[in-house]
């Protein structure tokens, strides 16, 4: 009989045959084989789902931006657009409901050819509105009762997808019969504009690149772990194949074939999950982001990359994992027992990563160059390095442990025998936490550049509102209505206008010097300036305390005894102003301004209603700050309802201590959303690994139960077994994350290092372990039943 | 092996002629050693003398082969006692045990119990041998081991037979 | 054999796994210092009987009494505690914790009982010496032979000086010579400490080490006649 030498051949045919054989094993391995393939497929599928999701982000962002721009009112370059049959007047009527923004516009067509916003088939008539499906649902629900009072228009139509940024968006267009350009409206000829967006700040670009690396690395690690599910059983099967004559290389190729099959199944599962998941994507809102299924379409190039990279890396990972395993005809020998993990080839990775990142140089300032390859490569190398260091660190640390209580001993001894597997399980979390720490460090250091301290004081007032009306009677009525609103404890209201020096322009002047006039009652005025004792009829000259306004400018116009002219100079009213003169009483006191609750300082003239005939003021505007009772639920919504009843254009703002730069916020939002998905993935992976480990030890668990081992003892041992590598992983993550973070900070030219960002993430990683342990307890209890003792 | 008890047992299922008895014996137990007619007659006359069988009738013609035998109550008791009594464990016991099992099945007695009883007897002997082995010298141990392995083989056969009792009962009954 | 003065006694045990009854009215009694073999073909319910006797599983009906305790009425925690202190176990294979050294394996039940590590390991060393395997104390189970492994397991079962040792096919994976040595050591040690041994086996040569045997067939345990 001739010896079949083709098994030794590594040629293309040999490869194809052995891979095919492996595929057949994956399919025909009985129940056990199927479970293994299923686990792998599920694991890889989850990873693929995430990768496809990531590949869809550019499309999603682009389509969202496009639809957002398509509904912006077209701004005209020229001063004013003449009314015609094809124009309309629009005004913003945005509001907010329980923290969710409700966007709205008032529309008043000038003629029957007036443009319609995208997604709207016919303009709503006066007193009518068209709404987005989400808003309609909210209005129809019991929760939306208060909002219904505010948007009391008749619902006559639906805004469809082209007009919405996301399916969950709350949007309405209401028709108006009275809106004019004089009371806040703008005349436009069409919707849709192309706002050229700013190129991303180099700092943000760096952050984005590192963020992507940080988020996708654990996914890659997860896929790598998933193709190794059930590896030990497979090794035993391959040993049996060696017995009947397969050579070592052939068995490796068969193993690769099995992994390949799992990975391809995983791709199918992932693609399937993706197709299903995107149908439900509209129901999910993560930090205000919400997308239509059709928005979630992967960029073709990236999708192709995923399709190609996943099977190839499955084969690569399998061959790499088998490099230290010799599959002999009579069993499987792992080289690891005799060989210690070496540090020398692991250490260069993180060091090289750091070096690459520092090579890019500073990125602070708008003109700085960001080389994405350097930054991404450096970050990836650094994180890979952390992963590579982990098995060594686990080995090195665990080898030193001795003694301790029984659960600890069980766990430590297990780790001493197979630290690599434990390290693999937690490497995902290590990379994730290291990356997240780095990003958070970077965030906290640069957020000063993007955060503006508003100086608003929430303890003095919680809401601020601008009243669009210029009619003094209407303003008074509004203020009293706010007072009467449920849950309102106080209204700081003032009516403002401007006062100028009477008479013609003097030589060298381009406009008449002027200052502000604010009229309010004593309690309100005392919130705006240090009035001291105050009674109706008093007048004050208020000096600016912030130093932004030259004091002479104020005193030139506003002096006790001086006459001022309330008539405005602004270009709106064409003919020369008719003077509206008023003399400041000699009794007027000069006082210092005080920052109002919104953080602004008002200066100039302040008068109580009894000292000044309000009719003298030209185009007065009212500002009100509302103090609400925190114990009254929905007090904010009641105030907004009042405001809307007075005029839909009334804007109500919530006072906040800080405000974030919008671009910065959206980036942070995206990273947070992705980090959430990633942590869930890691938890799933750790759980699967733990369950597989427990299943392998089923008999031993039963024996331990037989001789009376407490459940708690075994539970603790499981906990330690997870916690020790995780603790080491987290320690390494903090080190690696701090390293990456410091490198980023150096690039940004920052030195501030905020250690407080480290702890929440470390704690989150720890909590994850706890959750995984808790979730693996019920199966542990089940496996601890004596069934495992039955040998028959 | 006791031919007398075997023939008695065969009679329990009903009266038979001498030649009938020989045929039944050969069919069930005599594969390698068929019974001579002479053995049947001499055995039957001994049983007749001991009152364990009686002549049920004689067919026309002469010769002992024409006599029809039936078992007496004393005969039934004798068979029962024989079946219940364990054999002294010794090599090449199978044929006797097999006969006992088959007869027990044919006579609707509990064959399993018969086997259990035999096993207990075997084990009693094995315990003795094991005890001797523990305290004895190497020569003792070797001798005991030899006996133990033979007894174990018997017991294994017993176990196997016990496990196949149902099938055997079918074969015997059919 | 009268149940009077018995150490462990079971009455009318019934246990079914799904529709198949594993025990169908089994009775059992054992006295201090006695070695009882539980025999029977595969699947006859031998192991189930042992598990019920040891309080590892709860019978569907019937009762198990150990000394003054009724095992079938005890909580799981009390049962476990009893198994730690009063019972010892030897199984056919796969019972040593592969990560622990042999010494640590033997010390494990002592430590589960709260004995200090040093103390437990000193006692464990003595037991290993007694079972003639003190040479493998520092090795892991994967590095020793099957016979040595079973001796380590016996040492572990004896370490807590249990009143009852449950051995489920303890020599099933061993050759004759090793099997006999393990049995001799096990039964000698048990007799020395006046412990009872419940020895589940399907091998008659193993059962011959017992004082008497019980046969389980179709879930019914019976003492064989004439075994006095």
């Amino acid at each position: 009989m001739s010896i079949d030498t083709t098994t030794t051949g590594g040629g293309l045919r040999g490869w194809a045959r052995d891979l095919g054989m492996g595929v057949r094993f994956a399919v025909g391995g009985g129940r056990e084989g199927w479970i293994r393939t299923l686990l792998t497929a599920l694991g890889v599928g989850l990873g693929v789902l995430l990768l496809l999701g990531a590949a869809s982000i550019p499309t999603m962002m682009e389509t969202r931006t496009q639809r957002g721009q398509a509904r912006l009112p077209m701004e005209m370059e020229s001063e004013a657009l003449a009314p015609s049959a094809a124009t309309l007047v629009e005004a913003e009527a945005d509001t907010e409901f329980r923290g969710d923004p409700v966007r709205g516009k008032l529309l008043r067509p000038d003629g029957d050819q007036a443009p319609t916003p995208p997604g709207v088939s016919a303009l709503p008539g006066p007193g009518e509105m068209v709404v987005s499906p989400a808003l309609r649902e909210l209005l129809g629900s019991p929760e939306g009762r208060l909002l219904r009072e505010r948007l009391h228009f008749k619902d006559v139509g639906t805004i469809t997808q082209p007009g919405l940024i996301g399916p969950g968006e709350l949007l309405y267009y209401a028709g108006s019969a009275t809106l004019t350009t004089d009371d806040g409206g703008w005349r436009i000829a069409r919707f849709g504009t192309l706002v050229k967006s700013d190129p991303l700040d180099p700092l943000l670009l760096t952050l984005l690149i590192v963020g992507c690396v940080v988020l996708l690395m654990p996914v890659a690690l997860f896929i790598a772990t998933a193709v190794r599910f059930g590896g030990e059983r497979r090794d035993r099967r391959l040993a049996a194949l060696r017995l009947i004559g397969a050579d070592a290389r052939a068995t490796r190729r068969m193993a690769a074939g099995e992994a390949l099959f799992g990975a391809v199944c995983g791709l199918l599962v992932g693609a399937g999950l993706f197709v299903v998941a995107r149908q439900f994507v509209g129901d999910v809102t993560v930090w205000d982001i919400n997308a239509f299924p059709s928005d979630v379409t992967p960029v073709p190039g990236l999708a192709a990359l995923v399709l190609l990279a996943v099977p190839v890396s499955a084969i690569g990972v399998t061959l790499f994992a088998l490099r230290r395993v010799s599959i002999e005809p009579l069993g499987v020998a792992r080289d690891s027992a005799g060989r210690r993990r070496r540090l020398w080839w692991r250490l260069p990775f993180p060091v090289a990563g750091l070096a690459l990142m520092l090579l890019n140089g500073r990125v602070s300032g708008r003109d700085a160059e960001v080389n994405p390859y350097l930054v991404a490569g450096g970050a990836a190398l650094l994180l890979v390095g952390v992963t590579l260091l982990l098995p060594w660190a686990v080995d090195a640390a665990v080898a030193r442990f001795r003694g301790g209580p029984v659960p600890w001993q069980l766990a430590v001894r297990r780790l001493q025998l197979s630290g690599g597997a434990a390290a693999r399980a937690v490497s995902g979390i290590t990379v994730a936490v290291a990356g997240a720490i780095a990003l958070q460090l970077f965030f906290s250091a640069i957020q000063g550049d993007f955060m503006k301290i508003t100086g608003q004081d929430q303890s003095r007032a919680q809401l601020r509102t601008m009243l669009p009306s210029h009619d003094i009677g209407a303003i008074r009525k509004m203020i009293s209505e706010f007072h009467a609103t449920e849950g309102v404890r106080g209204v700081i209201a003032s009516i403002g206008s401007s006062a100028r020096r009477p008479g013609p322009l003097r030589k060298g002047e381009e406009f008449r010097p002027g200052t502000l006039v604010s009229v309010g009652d004593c309690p309100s005025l005392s919130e705006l300036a240090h009035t001291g004792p105050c009674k109706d009829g008093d007048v004050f000259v208020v000096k600016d305390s912030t130093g932004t306004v030259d004091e002479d400018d104020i005193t030139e116009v506003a002096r006790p005894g001086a006459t001022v002219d309330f008539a405005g100079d602004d270009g709106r009213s064409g003919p020369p102003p008719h003077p509206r003169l008023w003399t400041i009483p000699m009794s007027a006191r000069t006082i210092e301004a005080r920052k109002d609750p919104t953080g602004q300082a008002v200066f100039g003239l302040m008068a109580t209603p009894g000292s000044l005939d309000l009719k003298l003021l030209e185009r007065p505007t009212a500002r009100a700050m509302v103090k609400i009772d925190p114990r009254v639920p929905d007090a904010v919504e009641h105030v907004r309802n009042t405001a809307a009843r007075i005029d839909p254009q009334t804007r109500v703002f919530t006072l906040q201590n800080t405000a974030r730069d919008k671009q910065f916020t959206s980036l942070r939002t995206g990273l947070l959303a992705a980090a959430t998905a990633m942590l869930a993935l890691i938890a799933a992976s750790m759980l699967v690994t733990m369950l597989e480990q427990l299943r392998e030890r089923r008999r031993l668990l039963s024996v331990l139960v037989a001789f009376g081992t407490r459940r708690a003892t075994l539970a603790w041992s499981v906990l330690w077994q997870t916690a020790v590598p995780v603790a080491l992983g987290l320690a390494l993550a903090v080190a690696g994350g701090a390293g990456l973070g410091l490198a980023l900070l150096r690039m940004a030219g920052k030195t501030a290092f905020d250690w407080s960002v480290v702890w929440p993430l470390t704690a989150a990683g720890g909590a994850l372990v706890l959750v995984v342990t808790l979730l693996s307890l019920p199966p542990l209890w089940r496996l601890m039943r004596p069934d495992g003792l039955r040998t028959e | 092996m006791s031919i007398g008890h075997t023939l008695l047992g065969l009679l329990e299922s009903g009266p038979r002629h001498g030649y009938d008895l020989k045929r039944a014996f050969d069919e069930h137990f005599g594969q390698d050693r068929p019974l001579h007619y002479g053995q049947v007659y001499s055995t039957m006359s001994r049983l007749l003398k001991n009152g364990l069988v009686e002549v049920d009738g004689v067919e026309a013609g002469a010769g002992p082969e024409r006599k029809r035998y039936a078992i007496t109550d004393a005969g039934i008791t004798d068979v029962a006692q024989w079946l219940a009594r364990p054999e002294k464990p010794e090599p090449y016991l199978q044929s006797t045990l097999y006969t006992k099992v088959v007869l027990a099945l044919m006579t609707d007695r509990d064959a399993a119990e018969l086997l259990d009883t035999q096993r207990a007897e075997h084990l009693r002997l094995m315990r003795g041998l094991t005890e001797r082995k523990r305290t004895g010298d190497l020569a003792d141990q070797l001798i005991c081991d030899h006996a133990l392995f033979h007894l174990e083989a018997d017991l294994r056969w017993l176990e196997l037979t016990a496990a196949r009792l149902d099938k055997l009962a079918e074969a015997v009954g059919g | 054999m009268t149940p009077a003065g018995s150490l462990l006694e079971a009455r009318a045990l019934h246990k079914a796994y799904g529709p198949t009854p594993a025990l169908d009215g089994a009775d059992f009694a054992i006295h201090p210092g006695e070695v009882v073999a539980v025999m029977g073909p595969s699947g006859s319910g031998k192991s189930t009987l042992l598990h019920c006797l040891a309080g590892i599983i709860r019978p569907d009906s019937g009762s198990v009494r150990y000394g003054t305790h009724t095992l079938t009425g005890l909580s799981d925690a009390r049962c476990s505690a009893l198994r730690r202190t009063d019972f010892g176990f030897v199984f056919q294979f796969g019972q040593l914790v592969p990560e622990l050294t042999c010494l640590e394996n033997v010390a494990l039940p002592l430590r589960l009982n709260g004995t200090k590590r040093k103390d437990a390991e000193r006692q464990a060393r003595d037991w290993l010496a007694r079972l003639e395997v003190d040479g493998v104390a520092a090795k892991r189970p994967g590095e020793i032979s099957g016979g040595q492994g079973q001796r380590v397991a016996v040492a572990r079962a004896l370490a807590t000086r249990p009143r009852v040792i449950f051995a489920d096919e303890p020599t099933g994976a061993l050759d004759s010579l090793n099997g006999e040595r393990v049995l001799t050591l096990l039964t000698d040690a048990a007799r020395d400490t006046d412990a009872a041994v419940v020895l589940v086996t399907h091998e008659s040569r193993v059962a011959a080490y017992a004082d008497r045997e019980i046969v389980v067939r179709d879930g019914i345990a019976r003492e064989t006649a004439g075994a006095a």
Side-chain angles (χ1 to χ4, degrees), chain A residues 258-288:
Chain A
E258 277 192 59
L260 179 66
F261 181 71
V264 170
C265 285
L267 273 180
L268 292 177
V269 169
L273 283 177
F274 181 73
V275 168
V276 174
R278 72 203 281 264
Q279 296 308 315
F280 296 99
V281 80
D283 300 337
V284 182
T285 303
V286 185
W287 286 287
D288 289 352

Side-chain angles (χ1 to χ4, degrees), chain B residues 30-47:
Chain B
Q31 286 88 341
D32 48 346
R33 278 186 299 166
L35 215 54
H36 292 293
Y37 277 114
Q39 263 178 298
V40 177
Y41 306 138
S42 58
T43 308
M44 289 321 290
S45 59
R46 184 169 53 82
L47 295 175

